[in-house]
Amino acid sequence: MDHENSYRILIVDDSDFSRNTISEMLKSDRYNIIGEAASAKEAINILRDRRANIVIVDVVMPEISGIELTNKIIDNFKDTYVIVISSLGQENIILDAIGAGASDFIQKPFTKETLINSIEKVIASFT
Amino acid sequence: MIENVQREKHPNSYYLENYIPEKVSIYSEGILRKSDIQFNAEKSYHILFKIQGELNGIIVCSFDVSELTNTNYNFSHINALFSESMNILLGNFLTNLEEKTTIMGHLSHPEIISDEKRQNIIQWADQIVIHENLNLQLITLQNTYNCLIEFIAHPLKSTMV
């Protein structure tokens, strides 16, 4: 599968380590990492330039939280789906993520298999 | 009753001992686990997290970086690993705490702080209701880092002592 036929993914997390880890996990012809953002503002700027199928969003970030960003993505970018990630697995955070329109929630730390299963579940929902 | 036994065994670290997992895998980069080695670093690196919710306070995480001074380690990678490993550990701590006690706390993003700021925080800590610490080790393929967590908090929920 070349890049034209791969699924376009944006990674949003204020942790460099987390972004690099996720990017490494998704190295494959099936996924095209269109960018990495350390804040919600950066993510919105990237999405204005480049279309993404899936955005992976961390909850705890400075200024605008991942939950608020999820709301903005769902409201403003049609056909873009969000997977929320967080080290916090509390029920109210999961509910906030679902309420904001996220397609899935994964608690950190996760394995490559868990991440790919989540992405594939989301892909299956829109293809 | 079990909780009382735990409190006697670890009078200084009741919440940290009971709700921090014995070990947490930091993806494929390392493992963070509880340790009996007392933290005593010549040179350390500190990260602060704020907690808000039914529990208000801060957690200061310190890493012994004495051995890194004269080596060729990639400091930015190590610092990023420290921050994210503590973010994962403390997220798991607050999740366990809520599941087992219904006390809810949210974690801020990490902030790097100086030795001076950490000292200043610790000076105030004894006046705060909860002041605990816990020794840990972060084990990576290249090295083992001794770490210390200092938990300073004030409960807003009456069930927390």
Side-chain angles (χ1 to χ4, degrees), chain A residues 13-18 21 25 58 60-62 87-93 107-110, chain B residues 24-27 29 77 80-81 84 87-88 91-92 94-95 98 104-110:
Chain A
D13 195 319
D14 60 325
S15 158
D16 296 354
F17 181 82
S18 183
T21 302
M25 285 179 176
D58 184 39
V60 180
M61 292 192 292
S87 65
L88 293 160
Q90 294 148 319
E91 217 170 68
N92 72 311
I93 290 185
Q107 188 178 4
K108 292 178 181 179
F110 44 77
Chain B
V24 177
S25 149
I26 311 301
Y27 301 107
E29 288 279 335
H77 175 75
L81 172 64
E84 186 60 9
N87 174 45
I88 289 170
N92 282 243
L94 291 174
T95 305
E98 193 196 342
M104 195 171 60
H106 289 311
L107 199 62
S108 73
H109 62 93

Side-chain angles (χ1 to χ4, degrees), chain A residues 5-64:
Chain A
N5 295 318
S6 58
Y7 294 100
R8 299 167 63 82
I9 296 177
L10 171 66
I11 303 165
V12 191
D13 195 319
D14 60 325
S15 158
D16 296 354
F17 181 82
S18 183
R19 292 197 308 275
N20 292 341
T21 302
I22 293 168
S23 188
E24 280 295 317
M25 285 179 176
L26 298 181
K27 267 193 180 153
S28 120
D29 288 345
R30 188 164 170 78
Y31 312 118
N32 173 15
I33 307 296
I34 62 151
E36 293 181 17
S39 68
K41 204 173 163 186
E42 255 184 70
I44 296 288
N45 286 338
I46 292 173
L47 288 171
R48 281 187 183 133
D49 277 352
R50 285 167 264 171
R51 192 179 63 82
N53 300 112
I54 295 172
V55 185
I56 298 169
V57 176
D58 184 39
V59 171
V60 180
M61 292 192 292
E63 296 177 31
I64 300 171

Side-chain angles (χ1 to χ4, degrees), chain B residues 4-37:
Chain B
N4 286 338
V5 171
Q6 286 294 319
R7 190 186 287 277
E8 282 163 22
K9 192 179 166 195
H10 303 286
N12 239 358
S13 60
Y14 172 73
Y15 291 104
L16 297 179
E17 265 302 335
N18 283 291
Y19 303 115
I20 280 197
E22 281 300 317
K23 65 178 181 182
V24 177
S25 149
I26 311 301
Y27 301 107
S28 53
E29 288 279 335
I31 290 172
L32 199 49
R33 69 170 188 203
K34 288 179 184 170
S35 165
D36 292 328
I37 299 169

Side-chain angles (χ1 to χ4, degrees), chain B residues 48-118:
Chain B
L48 179 144
F49 292 85
K50 290 180 186 141
I51 299 174
Q52 287 182 322
E54 291 167 339
L55 181 65
N56 259 0
I58 50 179
I59 296 183
V60 179
C61 308
S62 301
F63 291 86
D64 184 345
V65 289
S66 313
E67 288 180 24
L68 292 186
T69 314
N70 298 317
T71 65
N72 292 322
Y73 279 107
N74 178 342
F75 267 94
S76 65
H77 175 75
I78 294 286
N79 295 350
L81 172 64
F82 287 165
S83 292
E84 186 60 9
S85 59
M86 283 301 161
N87 174 45
I88 289 170
L89 184 86
L90 298 178
N92 282 243
F93 164 60
L94 291 174
T95 305
N96 286 343
L97 185 69
E98 193 196 342
E99 275 173 9
K100 289 168 184 160
T101 67
T102 75
I103 295 161
M104 195 171 60
H106 289 311
L107 199 62
S108 73
H109 62 93
E111 178 194 338
I112 297 165
I113 60 165
S114 63
D115 266 325
E116 195 184 356
K117 184 166 180 182
R118 182 213 158 232

